């Protein structure tokens, strides 16, 4: 396959970037999208040019590092997979592919296609945990969890924190991510003690980090590689309303 | 417990909850208003009695126009809070995406209604101002002496509506706005439940359906009034 790539190149956060065109002439349909970029980078290095910087780690859809806007869609044209799970057979020979970084104010560009997603870490730190006494591991069956609750919690826990939701959202909102964390813990008995404080803290942090406001458009769920559903957002909203009725104030460092 | 409600405006989600609650009041009004207006098809007496009845609402316990004014104040407060939350949230979202041109942005989940909420909202807001100046105060769209100011035992809103809608550009403005009101309701009515946390996979289809029904009833009903006048189905008396 022969492809033309238009790739966002940007030296660092303080210099303006631009889309640059590169040929990719030796692409096998069996390559993953990231392998294809590796090949292009190899050629760039041979020519003495700066290779294209992009994030990746596990390359099997579990770490959430890969983060490319491919032809304007987060993680590319296939549903429910990450960029690293995307194969070149999903594209046509001769196609031009535009590759951009996640774009949202709270995801500043570090270099080229690499963005800083520490804002997500700070949202997690604000409430994405439970407080438990340490010591020997508790008996696995000591706290019974109903199967439907366990399933819903697991579905939400599948979120890998990639940031596609916020990058795809026309409002730059991180609601699907935050809601996945709220639903993950909120469906479990262990998550109940801090349930309402959690949602207040996480929403306040999300606002403070500069994310936008959810208008229930659903672009996030449509691109989420882990198929987190809008139901989690309804659950976050419900918890926030109850927290407000209880008069719970955010406690954020 | 209830004082917690007063902290809602502090967070983005809380502001959305305010939009949902005030939106709920406004939806209730639009449905009721459409229903009330269908009385024009039952003839001038029935329709004009309705205008009189609105002013004597709650009589004899409540005085002339007292409950009407309560309703007006609630509606004004609802509109103000709805618009205030919307603009605060739009500003926040602009900042979140601002200065970040997304070159080849491609929408996967296509919902025209969801994307046009803010523009439709502005149009409806301007429409309300025009509409009150038009059919409530009669200061726009009428020849001198043509508008009959309701009050003092005389409630001829029947002829007001007909003379008002015989003006073609004004009728078209009403019809166009109703289409946008339809988009606003199509997304808004469902979104209200999602924002209040009352939606879930079990109810989603039902709530989407409810939004379609509310939207269709209000839009078809409201558009039928100018159309009935323009086609001569209802004539001045
Ligand atoms: C084609 C559709 C409509 C028709 C024929 C219509 C007709 C009328 C009439 C005749 C009045 C005056 C009633 C009276 O003085 O007793 C009125 C008042 C009013 N209408 Fe409409 N209306 C329509 C659509 C709407 C819509 C879509 C909205 C809001 C989004 C709206 C908001 C209002 C408001 C706020 C008032 C003033 C109520 C008051 O202060 O007494 N109308 N309308
Ligand atoms: S909700 Fe989905 S799109 Fe958003 S961060 Fe988690 S896995 Fe990525
Ligand atoms: S590289 Fe780990 S999810 Fe893609």
């Amino acid at each position: 396959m022969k492809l033309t790539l238009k790739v966002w190149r940007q030296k660092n956060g303080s210099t303006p970037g631009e889309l640059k065109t590169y040929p990719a002439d030796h692409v096998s349909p069996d390559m993953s999208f990231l392998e294809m970029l590796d090949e292009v980078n190899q050629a760039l290095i041979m020519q003495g040019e700066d290779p294209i910087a992009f994030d990746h780690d596990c390359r099997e859809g579990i770490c959430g590092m890969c983060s490319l806007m491919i032809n304007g869609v987060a993680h590319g044209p296939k549903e429910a997979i990450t960029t690293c799970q995307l194969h070149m057979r999903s594209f046509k020979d001769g196609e031009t592919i535009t590759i951009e970084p996640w774009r949202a104010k709270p995801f500043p560009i570090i270099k080229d296609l690499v963005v800083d997603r520490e804002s997500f870490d700070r949202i997690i730190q604000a409430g994405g945990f439970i407080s438990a006494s340490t010591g020997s591991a508790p008996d696995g069956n000591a706290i019974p969890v109903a199967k439907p609750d366990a399933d819903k919690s697991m579905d939400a826990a599948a979120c890998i924190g990639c940031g596609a939701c916020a990058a795809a959202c026309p409002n730059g909102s991180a609601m699907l991510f935050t809601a996945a964390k709220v639903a993950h813990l909120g469906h479990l008995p262990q998550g109940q003690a801090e349930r309402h404080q959690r949602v207040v803290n996480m929403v306040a942090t999300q606002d403070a980090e500069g994310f936008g406001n959810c208008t229930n458009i659903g672009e996030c769920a449509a691109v989420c590689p882990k198929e987190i559903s809008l139901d989690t957002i309804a659950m976050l909203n419900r918890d926030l309303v109850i927290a407000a009725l209880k008069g719970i104030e955010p406690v954020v460092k | 417990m209830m004082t917690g409600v007063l902290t809602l405006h502090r967070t983005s989600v809380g502001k959305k909850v305010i939009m949902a609650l005030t939106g709920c009041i406004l939806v209730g009004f639009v449905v009721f208003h459409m229903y009330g207006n269908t009385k024009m098809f039952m003839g001038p007496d029935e329709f004009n009695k309705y205008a009189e009845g609105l002013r004597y609402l709650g009589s004899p316990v409540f005085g002339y126009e007292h409950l009407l004014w309560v309703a007006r104040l609630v509606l004004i407060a609802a509109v103000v809070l709805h618009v205030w939350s919307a603009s605060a949230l739009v500003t926040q979202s602009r900042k979140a995406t601002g200065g970040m041109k997304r070159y080849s942005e491609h929408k996967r989940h296509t919902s025209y209604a969801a994307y046009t909420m803010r523009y439709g909202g502005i149009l409806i807001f301007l429409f309300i101002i025009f509409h009150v100046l038009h059919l409530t105060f009669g200061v726009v769209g009428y020849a001198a002496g043509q508008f009959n100011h309701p009050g003092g035992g005389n409630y001829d809103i029947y002829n007001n509506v007909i003379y008002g809608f015989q003006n073609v550009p004004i009728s078209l403005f009403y019809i166009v706005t109703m289409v946008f009101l339809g988009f606003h309701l199509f997304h808004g009515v469902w979104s209200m439940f999602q924002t209040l946390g009352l939606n879930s996979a079990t109810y989603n289809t039902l709530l989407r359906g409810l939004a379609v029904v509310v939207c269709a009833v209000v839009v078809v009903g409201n558009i039928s009034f100018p159309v009935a006048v323009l086609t001569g189905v209802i004539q001045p008396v």
Side-chain angles (χ1 to χ4, degrees), chain A residues 6-175:
Chain A
K6 286 167 101 181
V7 184
W8 186 260
R9 300 305 304 265
Q10 182 168 342
K11 216 164 151 221
N12 53 44
S14 44
T15 39
E18 58 175 336
L19 284 171
K20 278 206 179 149
T21 307
Y22 299 94
D25 290 337
H26 308 288
V27 177
S28 148
D30 297 329
M31 280 178 176
S32 80
F33 200 85
L34 299 185
E35 279 175 306
M36 183 275 294
L37 283 179
D38 289 339
E39 290 279 322
V40 172
N41 271 346
Q42 200 58 46
L44 285 177
I45 292 167
M46 300 301 265
Q47 292 162 25
E49 282 184 48
D50 196 16
I52 301 162
F54 61 91
D55 258 331
H56 60 97
D57 188 16
C58 71
R59 298 208 175 196
E60 56 178 2
I62 55 171
C63 76
M65 276 309 277
C66 58
S67 48
L68 299 178
M69 206 52 147
I70 301 163
N71 286 337
V73 179
H75 292 304
K78 285 266 176 295
E79 281 180 27
I81 55 169
T82 52
T83 299
C84 59
Q85 294 171 298
L86 177 65
H87 287 84
M88 297 317 292
R89 52 180 166 270
S90 303
F91 298 88
K92 285 191 294 290
D93 194 18
E95 202 176 328
T96 300
I97 304 175
T98 308
I99 310 171
E100 288 176 83
W102 284 173
R103 291 193 198 272
K105 252 296 160 49
F107 289 161
I109 291 178
I110 297 173
K111 186 177 185 204
D112 298 340
L113 304 169
V114 179
V115 299
D116 179 350
R117 284 168 282 182
E118 277 181 23
S119 48
F120 268 17
D121 298 341
R122 289 186 287 270
I123 294 176
I124 294 278
Q125 282 159 11
F129 53 80
I130 60 157
S131 303
S133 344
T134 53
S136 53
D139 172 29
N141 294 321
I143 304 173
V145 181
K147 176 74 169 133
D149 290 336
D151 287 347
K152 281 186 194 150
S153 176
M154 274 305 274
D155 286 348
C159 168
I160 51 178
C162 64
C165 43
C169 176
N171 295 308
S173 167
M175 276 290 266

Side-chain angles (χ1 to χ4, degrees), chain A residues 105 207 216 219 222 238 245 249, chain B residues 1 12 96 108 115 191 197:
Chain A
K105 252 296 160 49
D207 287 346
N216 300 329
E219 208 65 54
R238 186 157 60 238
L245 289 175
E249 302 270 335
Chain B
M1 172 175 169
S12 55
R108 183 180 266 176
Y115 282 104
S191 186

Side-chain angles (χ1 to χ4, degrees), chain A residues 75 120 158-166 176-177 180-181 220 223-228:
Chain A
H75 292 304
F120 268 17
C159 168
I160 51 178
C162 64
C165 43
L176 196 65
F177 165 76
K181 306 304 162 194
C220 52
V223 298
C224 174
K226 299 298 160 190
E227 300 183 288
I228 303 296

